[in-house]
């Protein structure tokens, strides 16, 4: 199993765990720097990276903690590499300050959070989806968030590629929220040939040597083009409020412009970010909204409900944030009831309630016992009054 | 012969934020004199810092500059260096930044021995946040969080660096610009992780709270608290007791991280 | 084969059950082009803690990746039998290590008891092939995957230099199916 998938011209068939597929996706996307710290249930990503990266001329470094891992991937990205780290809840909490830095300083990078039970040490080896809101709001201050959540091995590969593409395109830190089930279960995966994988690289400014470079001057896209350190355009990077030159500026007008641009650059392009799946939602009178491994239970529950004559359907956001609000509302167009199963106590359910308003009852199916949510539990909620 | 400092400074960023009497500018000039001797291309130099008075230095310098989060400069700097080992990476940190919140990164950066130079602008206090005690505040000295005098023993930056694996370790006082220039130049030339404990008086917070007087009186006191390591052999233990040696304190040759990783890449990518 | 066939392999960490599950799933999905999902649950122990590995094999898309209606339960400890027998429907086939699972398997189940670990240790000569002996037994008893696919999957995963040992382990497992599970084989026809 040592075939270098990223070098293959033809598709490669493998039988992989989600963590392995995530690593393959990262390599295919061009990730050549990984910094990390061991933590269950994400450690396989670091382990596999340590073996594979040097074979591709890439770099792996095990840092002293997750704070340092996050700092290292930001530094390496500024030096021109596509970078990633992987962790789980406690480590993700430690990374938050520097995640905010990456968003503020607009440094592309990818953080994989393999969710386990929390808070605190919680359940290190059990599945959970209880970091969903940490993925959205974990760092302080208003900030953009792009968060993807796969439900299969192939999708772990695809969404990881997508995370890199979004990070590069939007100059921000993108989070892949996998749950432990997807991370550790194994399925057959056909890894696409290299030329069939769409890769996005950070946009460079059109500059000649000696031209002045304003690292945070954006055009109408609101996304500033980016030079790397060492490419002949010296500039300053800071986590302080700054102006288009990159230097600190505390001017109120300037702060307002910066913070709005950081959020708006994602908001105005969000239609490009929405990945989702509709399953039998056209006429669904009971809509299930589920993501990650829970969506697989939900799909089975929907099928069983249909077999009983209930018009059930599933809307599965792959992009958790920004929230595909219109798409959820559309899927719920005929719904008399909406069911939101989650391995947490209702974090995404509140968003669904907010989107749909009081007209449609939203029922949560929530489990925080370290066990997956069985299809029968979701079916009961679909069928129940 | 006087050099043109402004070729390395971002004039438009002046005036700087440091107080009158602060030693940080003096150390910054030593760094510039060393870089002027080395003739590194400005585009190849990356200066990284954390948070604090010292950490504002990169903003004034005309290189690639990276002002990171509090205590984390070394982790960002190592990422830069590993991703592109051709870049010359200098880290400027304070005593709180490097030794308290960044203490774990400090010891591990020493252990890895990447070709990075860390200069700790050590003024024994948190200046920017208003004079709180730091990990290098001397026992008995006052800070705004140690109004009755610090009861803890301070870290010795150089002993920590040496014990953790740094391959060039030196201490210098801002008052002795010749010695400061010499150790910073040697630190930058060392192929490995170098640490310079650069003492800088904070008159505004340390000096006032401890009634140590103005900048010149503080510098005199630093001289009294230290001795030249080259004279150490001729000094009695009593003369050295409680004092800090200054000068080059430790140098060793040890494999450099990026070179070792480069070899690893060659070995496994065949 | 029914649409969905669910296998649970249960015992202790170190018995190689996760790898056994991976091999079985690879045999089905890579070498026989069926759909298969393997998953496991685990605790903090690398060795000695309870270990559970599950494989779902189906001709159709597999949505829920965990077992809900077990077709085959393998127990390599008494604790595993006690914990998981109650999850099994009466249609389940239960295979247990006769030395390690002294408790009786309830009669409502079709069951086979064989000294799987002892066969690995004494007949094959290495206890660490217990999981492969078990796979041979499962293959012969259920036919859930074909022998050629299983053999390829085994050889793909095991360390170089142990190929013959592992082939022998498969054989010993299949022979055990006849020695200890003739009643199942004859019922199967």
């Amino acid at each position: 199993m040592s075939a270098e998938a990223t070098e293959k011209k033809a598709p490669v068939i493998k039988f992989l765990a989600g963590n392995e597929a995530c690593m393959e996706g990262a390599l295919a996307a061009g990730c050549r720097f990984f910094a990390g710290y061991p933590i269950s249930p994400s450690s396989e990503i670091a382990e596999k990276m340590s073996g594979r990266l040097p074979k591709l001329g890439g770099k792996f470094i095990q840092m002293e903690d997750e704070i340092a891992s996050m700092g290292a991937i930001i530094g390496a990205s500024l030096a021109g590499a596509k970078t990633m780290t992987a962790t789980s809840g406690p480590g993700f909490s430690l990374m938050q300050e520097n995640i905010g830095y990456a968003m503020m300083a607009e440094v592309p990078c990818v953080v994989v959070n393999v969710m386990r039970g929390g808070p605190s040490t919680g359940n290190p080896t059990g599945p959970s989806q209880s970091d969903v809101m940490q993925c959205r709001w974990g760092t302080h201050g208003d900030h953009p968030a792009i968060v993807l959540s796969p439900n299969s091995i192939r999708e772990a590969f695809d969404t990881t590629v997508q995370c890199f593409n979004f990070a590069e395109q939007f100059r921000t830190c993108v989070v892949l929220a996998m749950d432990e089930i997807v991370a550790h279960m194994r399925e057959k995966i056909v890894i696409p040939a290299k030329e069939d994988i769409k890769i996005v690289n950070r946009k460079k400014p059109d500059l000649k040597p000696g031209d002045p470079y304003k690292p945070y001057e954006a055009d109408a896209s609101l996304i500033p083009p980016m030079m790397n350190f060492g490419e002949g355009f010296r500039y300053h990077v800071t986590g302080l409020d700054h102006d288009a030159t990159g230097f600190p500026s505390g001017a109120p007008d300037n702060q307002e412009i910066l913070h709005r641009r950081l959020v708006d650059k994602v908001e105005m392009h969000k239609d490009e970010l929405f990945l989702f799946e509709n399953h039998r939602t056209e006429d669904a009178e009971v809509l299930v909204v589920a993501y990650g491994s829970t969506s697989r239970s939900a799909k089975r529950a929907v099928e069983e409900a249909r077999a009983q004559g209930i018009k059930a359907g599933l809307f599965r956001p792959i992009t958790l944030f920004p929230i595909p609000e219109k798409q959820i509302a559309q899927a719920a167009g005929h719904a008399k009831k909406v069911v939101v199963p989650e391995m947490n106590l209702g974090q995404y359910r509140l968003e669904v309630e907010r989107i749909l308003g009081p007209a449609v009852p939203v029922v949560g199916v929530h489990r925080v016992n370290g066990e997956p949510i069985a299809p029968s539990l979701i079916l009961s909620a679909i069928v129940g009054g | 012969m006087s050099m043109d400092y402004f070729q390395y400074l971002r004039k438009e960023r002046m005036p700087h934020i440091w107080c009158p009497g602060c030693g940080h500018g003096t150390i910054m000039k030593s760094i510039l004199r060393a870089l002027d001797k080395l003739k590194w291309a400005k585009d190849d130099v990356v200066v990284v810092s954390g948070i604090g008075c010292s950490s504002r230095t990169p903003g004034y310098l005309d290189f690639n500059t990276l002002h990171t989060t509090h205590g984390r400069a070394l982790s960002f700097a190592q990422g830069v260096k590993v991703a592109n080992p051709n870049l010359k990476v200098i880290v400027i940190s304070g005593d709180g930044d490097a030794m308290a919140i960044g203490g774990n990164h400090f010891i591990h950066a020493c252990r890895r021995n990447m070709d990075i130079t860390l200069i700790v602008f050590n003024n024994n206090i948190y200046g920017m946040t208003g004079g709180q005690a730091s990990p290098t505040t001397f026992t008995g000295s006052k800070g705004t969080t140690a109004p009755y005098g610090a009861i803890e023993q301070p870290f010795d930056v150089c002993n920590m660096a040496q014990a953790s694996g740094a391959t060039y370790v030196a201490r210098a006082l801002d008052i002795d610009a010749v010695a400061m220039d010499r150790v910073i130049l040697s630190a930058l030339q060392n192929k490995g992780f170098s640490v310079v404990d650069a003492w800088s008086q904070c008159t505004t917070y340390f000096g006032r709270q401890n009634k140590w007087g103005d900048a010149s009186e503080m510098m005199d006191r630093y001289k009294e608290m230290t001795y030249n390591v080259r004279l150490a052999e001729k000094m009695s233990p009593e003369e050295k007791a409680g004092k800090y040696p200054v000068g080059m304190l430790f140098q060793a040759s040890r494999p450099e991280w990026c070179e070792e990783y480069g070899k690893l890449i060659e070995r496994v990518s065949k | 084969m029914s649409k969905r066939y669910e296998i649970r392999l249960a015992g202790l960490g170190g018995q190689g059950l996760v790898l056994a599950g991976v091999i079985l799933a690879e045999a089905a999905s890579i070498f026989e082009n069926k759909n298969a999902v393997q998953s496991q649950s685990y605790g903090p122990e690398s060795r000695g803690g309870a270990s559970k590995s599950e494989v779902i094999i189906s001709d159709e898309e597999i949505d829920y990746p965990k077992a809900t209606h077990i077709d085959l339960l393998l127990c390599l400890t008494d604790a595993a039998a006690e914990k998981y027998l109650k999850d099994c429907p009466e249609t389940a086939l239960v295979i247990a290590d006769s030395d390690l699972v002294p408790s009786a398997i309830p009669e409502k189940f079709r069951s086979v008891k064989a000294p799987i670990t002892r066969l690995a240790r004494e007949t094959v000569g290495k206890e660490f092939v217990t999981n492969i002996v078990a796979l041979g037994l499962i293959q012969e008893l259920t036919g859930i995957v074909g022998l050629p696919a299983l053999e390829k999957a085994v050889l793909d995963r095991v360390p170089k230099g142990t190929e013959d040992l592992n082939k022998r382990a498969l054989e010993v497992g299949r022979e055990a199916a006849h020695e200890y599970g003739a009643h199942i084989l004859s019922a199967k026809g």
Side-chain angles (χ1 to χ4, degrees), chain C residues 11-13 15 27 30-31 45-46 50 61 79 94 96 127 132 165 186:
Chain C
L12 289 175
Q15 288 179 322
I30 303 277
F31 299 104
E45 310 91 340
S46 289
E61 180 196 329
V94 179
E127 191 170 320
I132 308 298
L165 190 72
S186 62

Side-chain angles (χ1 to χ4, degrees), chain A residues 63-75 93-99 101, chain B residues 48-52 55 66-80 91-94 96-106 109 118:
Chain A
M63 298 303 287
E64 53 274 18
D65 58 31
E66 288 89 347
I67 301 172
S69 303
M70 195 60 218
I73 68 165
I74 295 170
S93 293
L94 286 177
M95 289 176 181
Q96 291 301 336
E97 186 191 8
N98 283 344
I99 287 175
Y101 186 95
Chain B
V48 188
S49 68
I51 295 293
S55 295
L66 178 54
H67 177 223
T68 73
T69 47
H70 192 27
R72 318 303 173 195
L74 284 169
S75 58
F76 285 67
Q78 289 169 92
V80 170
V91 178
I92 292 172
S93 190
D97 197 52
M99 306 311 293
I101 189 166
N104 195 29
H105 309 309
F106 175 91
L118 167 67

Side-chain angles (χ1 to χ4, degrees), chain C residues 4-136:
Chain C
R4 186 180 161 108
Y5 193 88
E6 301 188 348
I7 302 160
R8 179 176 288 171
L9 312 173
L12 289 175
Q15 288 179 322
L17 293 173
V18 171
L19 179 61
V22 171
I23 289 172
L24 204 50
E26 279 185 331
S29 69
I30 303 277
F31 299 104
E32 289 187 345
N33 218 22
K34 294 172 187 157
N35 294 305
V37 180
Q38 184 273 337
S39 68
Q40 65 259 317
S41 70
Y42 67 118
E45 310 91 340
S46 289
R47 293 287 180 269
S51 169
K52 178 178 81 172
S53 173
E54 292 183 348
V55 181
I56 315 292
I57 298 174
S58 178
D59 291 328
E60 300 183 350
E61 180 196 329
I62 297 168
D63 39 39
Y64 188 58
K66 303 276 181 179
T68 54
H69 185 91
I70 293 168
D71 295 286
L72 169 66
L73 174 69
L74 171 75
C75 299
L76 293 189
T77 61
D78 215 32
E82 195 192 345
K83 192 169 174 186
Y84 296 124
L85 276 170
K86 59 179 183 288
D87 292 347
C88 292
E90 288 184 15
T91 49
L93 170 64
V94 179
I95 301 174
D97 188 306
S98 49
D99 293 339
L100 303 177
V101 184
S103 317
I105 307 296
E107 280 188 9
K108 61 177 179 180
F109 297 114
R110 292 174 302 132
S111 67
V112 175
K113 272 193 166 190
I116 301 170
T117 309
R118 178 150 46 92
L119 287 170
R121 187 174 58 238
E122 293 173 8
T123 311
V124 187
K126 296 283 179 194
E127 191 170 320
F128 67 72
V129 295
T130 299
N131 54 350
I132 308 298
V133 173
L135 286 180

Side-chain angles (χ1 to χ4, degrees), chain A residues 59 64 98 234 236-238, chain B residues 43 65 67 69 82 105 112:
Chain A
K59 316 282 175 63
E64 53 274 18
N98 283 344
R234 301 180 298 281
H236 187 62
V237 181
T238 180
Chain B
D43 284 320
T65 52
H67 177 223
T69 47
V82 171
H105 309 309
R112 291 191 187 99

Side-chain angles (χ1 to χ4, degrees), chain A residues 33 50-51 53-65 67-81 97-98 101 228-240 243 245 247-249, chain B residues 10 12-13 42-46 51 56 58-60 62-70 72 74-85 87 101 104-106 108-109 111-112 114 257 261 264-266 268-269:
Chain A
F33 181 94
S50 71
L53 272 172
K55 292 185 176 179
L56 299 168
K59 316 282 175 63
F60 168 89
I61 184 166
Q62 183 168 326
M63 298 303 287
E64 53 274 18
D65 58 31
I67 301 172
S69 303
M70 195 60 218
I73 68 165
I74 295 170
S77 180
L78 282 165
E97 186 191 8
N98 283 344
Y101 186 95
N228 301 318
F229 281 173
E231 290 182 335
F233 295 86
R234 301 180 298 281
Y235 64 97
H236 187 62
V237 181
T238 180
L240 284 167
D243 60 23
T245 65
F247 289 105
S249 166
Chain B
R10 290 166 169 154
E12 70 281 10
R13 301 309 304 167
K42 289 200 285 184
D43 284 320
D44 292 344
V45 175
V46 183
I51 295 293
R56 289 304 183 96
Y60 308 133
D62 187 22
F63 303 100
N64 303 286
T65 52
L66 178 54
H67 177 223
T68 73
T69 47
H70 192 27
R72 318 303 173 195
L74 284 169
S75 58
F76 285 67
Q78 289 169 92
V80 170
K81 185 71 184 174
V82 171
N84 184 354
L87 295 171
I101 189 166
N104 195 29
H105 309 309
F106 175 91
H108 287 275
R111 178 176 69 83
R112 291 191 187 99
M114 259 176 223
W257 197 98
Y261 203 88
L264 186 153
I265 287 175
E266 281 209 3
V268 302
S269 60

Side-chain angles (χ1 to χ4, degrees), chain A residues 348-365:
Chain A
Y348 212 71
R349 189 197 74 217
L350 287 172
E351 293 290 339
V352 174
E353 284 176 4
R354 176 181 62 74
I355 292 161
L356 298 179
V360 192
V362 177
V363 180
V365 178

